[in-house]
Amino acid sequence: MKLAGAKSHIVFHRNLIRGCALISSLYLSGLIASGPADAGAWPLKKGTSQMIVTVTKSRADKEFKADGTTMDVRNFGKMHFEAYYQYGYDNKTTLIADLVYAKESVDVAEFTFATSKFRTASLGARHYIGKWEDTRYSVELLTTLHLAKEGSDPVPSKGGDLDFELAVITGSHFKVWGGKGFIENRLSSTYRPTNRPYEVSAESTIGFHPYTDGLVLIKSSNFIQMEYEMRAQTYVTAYKADVSLVHRISPTLSIELGGGTTFAGNNISKDTHIKIGFWYDF
């Protein structure tokens, strides 16, 4: 094996171990948190609905290479519009629908090239299994239809491709500064037919109420995508951090303001973003 190839494989396995360790730690954090709160990974009440509409603007002028170091790239911008809907089918099952529209642009010399398309549509359900040692467990199944190729997508998906995702979600409560909070963890695996890379991802969200109508959300989301041959040059990882404030302005309407960044990864853009969202409960 050539020295460069050996180095790439060492970097690959190091990041794979780091990703697995991170996923394990996020999963375990859901098992050790406890205490009362009023939010987390619980199903919606039967007959109730929630719609969350978000607009996210992101920008990147650097990219993480296969070895995790960064390099300069052409300025890339994206406006991401997402409508996420969930409905309480019964007291244990929540139905889910999601639609994404995005506008992407890239600067080349003095010109800017842009595309605007509906990207994905998803349908699924989340079912509450039960509770063990103050931690609640749910299972989520989600099917995603790709409506068009997305330039920033490291997976070569195209219109008509389907993704199948299975996730385990845990939710638990805690108290902080005399107030209530929650931890929600999501561990998922995505199968992509037509020889596209499979994905394992972990998300951990901590939420707490700094005041009566406010909710602070701190989120870590991480994923690793690999082809079945597990070549170091083609696998993709990303480590993202987000923080936002959700403020309730009426009994049914809340507004969310936040932002985040991709602070580490391999073969992926080093982007930063800001977000505004509207939560409507009915």
Side-chain angles (χ1 to χ4, degrees):
M1 181 182 293
K2 295 182 179 180
L3 180 59
K7 182 177 179 181
S8 296
H9 279 79
I10 291 172
V11 170
F12 168 77
H13 288 295
R14 183 187 301 128
N15 282 278
L16 178 60
I17 293 171
R18 181 173 65 175
C20 292
L22 178 58
I23 289 171
S24 299
S25 65
L26 293 179
Y27 181 75
L28 290 173
S29 68
L31 301 180
I32 62 177
S34 62
D38 56 4
W42 288 267
L44 291 182
K45 293 182 180 179
K46 181 179 179 179
T48 62
S49 297
Q50 183 182 66
M51 172 73 78
I52 302 176
V53 178
T54 57
V55 181
T56 305
K57 181 177 177 60
S58 59
R59 194 75 179 174
D61 58 8
K62 293 183 182 296
E63 182 178 290
F64 292 106
K65 297 189 293 185
D67 62 0
T69 60
T70 60
M71 66 177 181
D72 294 333
V73 294
R74 295 188 179 100
N75 288 332
F76 175 82
K78 182 177 179 180
M79 287 288 290
H80 182 275
F81 304 86
E82 181 175 9
Y84 177 84
Y85 173 77
Q86 51 182 354
Y87 171 76
Y89 178 76
D90 56 34
N91 290 329
K92 288 189 174 183
T93 305
T94 301
L95 304 181
I96 302 167
D98 184 76
L99 182 64
V100 172
Y101 178 89
K103 177 181 179 180
E104 297 180 345
S105 63
V106 60
D107 296 338
V108 180
E110 68 273 20
F111 300 101
T112 299
F113 298 91
T115 59
S116 300
K117 294 179 180 179
F118 283 99
R119 303 296 182 177
T120 59
S122 304
L123 289 174
R126 182 171 58 251
H127 184 74
Y128 172 65
I129 299 174
K131 183 177 179 181
W132 181 65
E133 293 188 355
D134 298 324
T135 298
R136 293 172 178 259
Y137 293 85
S138 298
V139 174
E140 182 175 288
L141 295 172
L142 198 65
T143 299
T144 297
L145 171 66
H146 291 266
L147 304 175
K149 179 174 176 56
E150 190 169 359
S152 62
D153 183 4
V155 178
S157 301
K158 58 183 183 298
D161 285 343
L162 289 171
D163 297 347
F164 302 95
E165 182 179 18
L166 172 64
V168 176
I169 304 171
T170 68
S172 50
H173 300 137
F174 67 90
K175 283 187 176 181
V176 58
W177 301 325
K180 299 177 180 179
F182 70 90
I183 294 179
E184 179 179 279
N185 295 311
R186 187 177 190 273
L187 179 63
S188 67
S189 177
T190 301
Y191 168 67
R192 297 186 174 100
T194 65
N195 293 320
R196 291 173 297 144
Y198 63 94
E199 177 177 311
V200 177
S201 64
E203 299 177 0
S204 185
T205 303
I206 299 175
F208 61 91
H209 299 271
Y211 56 93
T212 303
D213 294 322
L215 174 65
V216 173
L217 297 173
I218 302 172
K219 182 178 180 179
S220 169
S221 56
N222 317 280
F223 69 80
I224 181 168
Q225 295 175 350
M226 292 177 291
E227 294 182 348
Y228 292 98
E229 296 179 1
M230 298 181 67
R231 292 177 295 174
Q233 294 84 359
T234 58
Y235 79 97
V236 177
T237 66
Y239 302 89
K240 299 173 179 284
D242 293 81
V243 62
S244 63
L245 172 66
V246 183
H247 175 74
R248 184 172 293 278
I249 58 179
S250 77
T252 59
L253 182 63
S254 300
I255 185 170
E256 177 184 9
L257 296 173
T261 185
T262 303
F263 61 88
N266 306 86
N267 298 315
I268 199 166
S269 298
K270 186 181 188 302
D271 71 299
T272 57
H273 65 267
I274 56 174
K275 177 174 68 173
I276 182 170
F278 300 92
W279 301 30
Y280 182 57
D281 300 293
F282 55 100

